[in-house]
Each structure stands twice: as C-alpha cells, then as structure tokens.
Amino acid sequence: MTPTDDAPTLAVIGGGVIGSMCALAAADTGWHVDIYDAGPEYRAAEVAGGMLGSLGEGHPGESALLALSAESTALWPRWIERLGDPGIRTADDSLFVATTAADGEYLRQLADFVWSEQIGADRLTTLTAREARAQEKALTTRVHSGYLARGEGALDNGLLLSRLRAALAAAGVHWHRIRIDAIDEVPADQVLVAAGMGTAQLLPDITLIPMKGEILRLAPNRHSVPPPTHVVRGRVDGRNVYLVPRADRLVVGATQYEAAGPDDHLPQAGGVADLLADATELMPGLRTYDLVESAAGIRPCSADGMPIIERRDERTLVAAGHGRNGIVLAPITAARFADLLAG
Ligand SMILES: Cc1cc2nc3c(=O)[nH]c(=O)nc-3n(C[C@H](O)[C@H](O)[C@H](O)COP(=O)(O)OP(=O)(O)OC[C@H]3O[C@@H](n4cnc5c(N)ncnc54)[C@H](O)[C@@H]3O)c2cc1C
C-alpha cells in the first residue's frame, strides 16, 4: 500500500529480521516507515542457523514458547509468498538423531514434552536407528535412535534478509545506516525499538542476556558425499549439533554460552573444534567438505525466554529478546506489533 502524504510516520531502530519484518508489516498498512540500523556486524540474524524449530525447541518448562513458535512457524509460508522467493526455504523437515542410549533418552524427554503439550505432536514420529539412517544415507553407523519432525524445516537467513531489504525498498521504506544513541534522536509519530542486543542500551529497564553462538559454513566439493536434505539435529555424546542444508552450503551450528561483552563477536577455537568434531562424528563424509567460514553472533535473550513485544509509552514500542528463536518468531512478532500499532 502506498502511504498518503498525511500518513503517520514510524521509525524502526534496528534492521535485523525483527525490525525489518515489523517495518514491512507497517508499510503494508499505509505507514511512512524509516529504518535506522547500525550495520550487519551487530546483527544476530546474519549468522543464524535459520531453523524453524518449534518442536525441536520444545524444552520442558517452555510451554508458552513452544505454542508461540508453532503459531509463528505456521505464518512463514505467507511471508515467503509475500517476499516472492520460494528459495528462501531450504528444508522442509528435521531429523533428530541420538548417538548413544543417554542421547536417546535426552531426545525422548523433548519428544514426550511435545506430545504432552499436544502442539504439532502428530508431526513428530519415533524412528529406529535403521529408519533414521534410511532418511539420510550419510549418517554415522553409531545412530542409536531418532525422530522425524515433519514441517519443521529451515530458511536461508542471508537470502531472507536480502529479500526483506528489497521488499522494504519497494514499499518505500527508507534505510539509514546509523547507530542511534537515544530514542529522541529519531523523528517520527511512533518509534519501534527492535535493535536486538542494542535494545537494552536504548531502553535501560530491559535486561537482555547475551548468549554467544558459533556457526560454520561448509561446502561440498567433487569428493564429497551429497549434503543432507533434512535439517539434521544431532545429540552426540551429550552435545547438540545441527546441520542445515542451503543451496550450495551446509551450516553447522551452534554453540551457546554467555558472551564476554557486546563486542565478543569472534568465534573461539574451542567452539569451532567442538562443532567440527560433532558434525563429522554425526556424518563422517563431511570431513571432505571445504570449511568456508566460521562466524559468531550474540542471541539477545530475555530473562524468561519469551520475546518482549509491547508498547512502552504513547510513542514507543519494543520488539526484542527473541533469543535462540528470532527467525522462527519473526512472523508472529510482526503480527503482534501491527496490532499494537493499530491500537
Ligand atoms: C549462532 C546463532 C544461531 C542461531 N540460529 C537460529 C535459528 O536456527 N533459528 C532461529 O529462529 N533463530 C536463531 N538464532 C537467533 C536469531 O538470530 C535472533 O533471535 C534474531 O536474529 C534476533 O533478531 P533481531 O532483529 O531482534 O536482532 P538482530 O538480528 O541482532 O538485529 C538487530 C539489529 O539492530 C541494529 N542495532 C543494534 N543497536 C542499534 C542502535 N543503537 N541503533 C541502530 N541500530 C542498532 C543492529 O545493527 C542489527 O542490524 C541464532 C542466533 C545465533 C547467534
């Protein structure tokens, strides 16, 4: 929708996945929108695995997060259509694999929780070792047991961000590459703070915990086994590792530990070593892949694990604290923000 000259104005601070999708939702309903963004080096969405994990993120005790994630995942197809590129989705299903009896017990507890919550439970199927290996031929012979989560795939977050940027430009949204130090600096009728970890500096009464994570990008070459077609989520000797297929890459992720500070952006050797060890244990053929990139980002986590999507005062709204699930939760965040904006 093209805004009229007297349309209300919205400033969005932060052009990550959350700020961009909220900005587009507002522009689609006739708002004049400006985005103020400090740049990609501060953006968790650049390094994310891109998994749409609701069942896979269904940890006991997080019932509300599981329900919200499932609701949001169901909104993704409409957004992919809006962005006009089906290539954004790179996998449809997730295969969960345990390598030992203890790992199998860990996965069983996650599955039991999902079944007990009855959210998408019919999409989660138990697999024997043989059935799991039939799904992905290059898996280790050490497979103990597994689960198939249908409809729980992944997006290429790099492609998503570039398609969002194009859609924002087409909708007339102006992008300003600038760090904002105070909300008053931005001229607009309404302001959305969606600055990931930067939100806590702009709204000091919001506490966010910086959870750092490393990921790797691997590329097959002519000596390599083909990449998996599912998202493969392994529990390997007590540690989690995931493999996410992309058009020409395989993303391996992700570690999780508290960051030393807001500038703790370099991958640590130990994190990279653990990811490589666990990924090649899960799928030995990955040893021939080229290691194209290692990167680290900081997940902006709220204290209770739930995203903070609310109005702060007459002029200010916030959408932040999406932790390990910002890609999953972006559509429901944009929908809730649009409702708040509409009053
Ligand atoms: C290793 C790793 C793997 C992950 N894997 C997944 C996954 O598989 N699935 C999933 O759903 N989620 C995943 N996540 C989490 C996901 O990346 C985040 O939840 C999501 O990116 C949060 O989005 P955001 O827009 O709030 O923040 P960000 O993506 O961090 O974007 C914030 C933006 O705000 C800007 N900014 C900050 N401060 C200011 C300021 N003062 N002024 C102007 N601009 C500012 C930054 O430049 C940045 O562009 C992962 C994260 C990491 C680190």
Side-chain angles (χ1 to χ4, degrees):
M1 182 187 287
T2 312
T4 55
D5 285 347
D6 59 350
T9 56
L10 170 72
V12 178
I13 305 177
V17 65
I18 300 298
S20 294
M21 285 185 44
C22 290
L24 195 51
D28 282 348
T29 53
W31 285 71
H32 273 295
V33 185
D34 286 85
I35 293 185
Y36 299 86
D37 184 73
E41 57 276 31
Y42 302 101
R43 195 177 297 146
E46 293 286 333
V47 295
M51 291 180 300
L52 298 182
S54 49
L55 305 186
E57 297 296 330
H59 294 283
E62 296 183 332
S63 308
L65 183 59
L66 174 66
L68 195 66
S69 301
E71 197 181 341
S72 195
T73 302
L75 299 176
W76 261 115
R78 222 182 306 151
W79 270 95
I80 291 173
E81 207 179 309
R82 165 72 180 86
L83 297 173
D85 187 349
I88 292 172
R89 183 183 283 276
T90 63
D92 293 328
D93 303 321
S94 291
L95 181 65
F96 291 78
V97 179
T99 58
T100 65
D103 295 332
E105 177 57 21
Y106 171 88
L107 290 186
R108 192 187 63 75
Q109 286 181 17
L110 292 189
D112 279 351
F113 172 64
V114 169
W115 282 321
S116 70
E117 293 293 312
Q118 300 189 334
I119 293 170
D122 54 329
R123 294 191 279 113
L124 190 63
T125 318
T126 314
L127 302 176
T128 62
R130 182 192 289 260
E131 288 165 342
R133 293 192 61 218
Q135 296 283 334
E136 287 291 350
K137 302 276 185 299
L139 277 176
T140 171
T141 52
R142 275 187 70 199
V143 175
H144 170 273
S145 55
Y147 293 87
L148 183 66
R150 284 184 303 281
E152 184 156 318
L155 306 181
D156 180 334
N157 41 298
L159 185 60
L160 168 67
L161 289 171
S162 81
R163 292 292 179 264
L164 275 170
R165 190 79 184 254
L168 288 164
V173 175
H174 296 284
W175 187 285
H176 310 263
R177 171 88 187 254
I178 184 173
R179 169 169 286 279
I180 300 298
D181 293 318
I183 294 170
D184 294 348
E185 280 176 33
V186 291
D189 298 322
Q190 295 282 299
V191 180
L192 171 67
V193 184
M197 273 313 298
T199 302
Q201 278 134 29
L202 293 161
L203 295 169
D205 58 329
I206 288 188
T207 302
L208 295 175
I209 304 147
M211 294 304 290
K212 184 175 170 183
E214 280 103 1
I215 60 141
L216 311 176
R217 294 198 178 95
L218 309 183
N221 57 47
R222 62 196 173 88
H223 307 291
S224 303
V225 295
T229 55
H230 303 77
V231 172
V232 180
R233 302 191 62 154
R235 179 79 177 172
V236 180
D237 300 324
R239 281 201 303 242
N240 292 327
V241 65
Y242 57 72
L243 313 175
V244 184
R246 294 276 160 82
D248 57 348
R249 295 267 187 280
L250 184 66
V251 176
V252 177
T255 54
Q256 183 155 307
Y257 55 96
E258 194 159 342
D263 296 323
D264 186 8
H265 281 287
L266 284 179
Q268 281 188 2
V272 173
D274 287 350
L275 290 176
L276 280 176
D278 294 343
T280 53
E281 184 69 33
L282 194 61
M283 213 169 252
L286 297 184
R287 295 180 74 89
T288 63
Y289 276 50
D290 297 325
L291 174 56
V292 179
E293 188 188 349
S294 63
I298 299 183
R299 304 171 183 89
C301 295
S302 66
D304 65 358
M306 291 293 282
I308 305 159
I309 311 161
E310 61 191 31
R311 178 171 279 289
R312 307 291 292 181
D313 59 38
E314 277 183 0
R315 183 172 175 258
T316 317
L317 301 102
V318 61
H322 291 73
R324 62 179 195 268
N325 292 311
I327 310 286
V328 180
L329 295 172
I332 194 76
T333 304
R336 294 204 170 172
F337 161 71
D339 286 348
L340 288 170
L341 195 62

